[in-house]
Amino acid sequence: MDIRIGQGYDVHRFGPGDHVMLCGVAIPHTRTLQGHSDADVGLHALTDAIYGALAQGDIGRHFPPSDPQWKGAESHIFLRHAVDLAGKHGFKINNMDVTLVCEYPKIGPHADAMIACLSGITGVTADRISVKATTSERLGFTGREEGIAAQAIVSLVAA
Ligand code: MG
């Protein structure tokens, strides 16, 4: 049985704004995340995890930041591309697990909405999707609230 595991990691910095996009959900906040696209760290980490499992590079290879067509892009486009690429290689997503690292906003109240959104984008049932969060005890760049980090792990199995 051919099982693939992939992991992804991403960081985006805070800038002026009134909401953040996390795992496809807009959460009101005192700042926003800055980036070439909508800066959704959760979706970016997850997308890279799938590319990693497929040994197909990273999000920057498939969607170069130098290409103006991806400026302000909604990141579900990237995740959907990775899922479709998995299908082309004969794989489907078995499960996915995302960890968001930040002090604020608090993720818990939004986790179910994020899982529902990820399920909608990927077609994976909600019982195979995990979104969880941790602070970094006020240490480091996430602890100083300079940005948000995300880690993701996925497993793929033959479709
Ligand atoms: Mg990113």
Side-chain angles (χ1 to χ4, degrees), residues 10-12 39-41 44:
D10 194 32
V11 172
H12 281 270
D40 189 323
V41 284
H44 293 182

Side-chain angles (χ1 to χ4, degrees), residues 33-81:
L33 290 174
Q34 296 181 319
H36 190 67
S37 65
D38 65 7
D40 189 323
V41 284
L43 292 190
H44 293 182
L46 201 43
T47 301
D48 262 355
I50 297 169
Y51 290 142
L54 295 168
Q56 289 293 314
D58 56 36
I59 200 167
R61 178 170 127 192
H62 295 280
F63 299 94
S66 56
D67 187 337
Q69 72 171 305
W70 308 122
K71 185 166 175 54
E74 295 182 29
S75 297
H76 63 81
I77 295 168
F78 310 148
L79 180 56
R80 188 63 230 177
H81 176 268

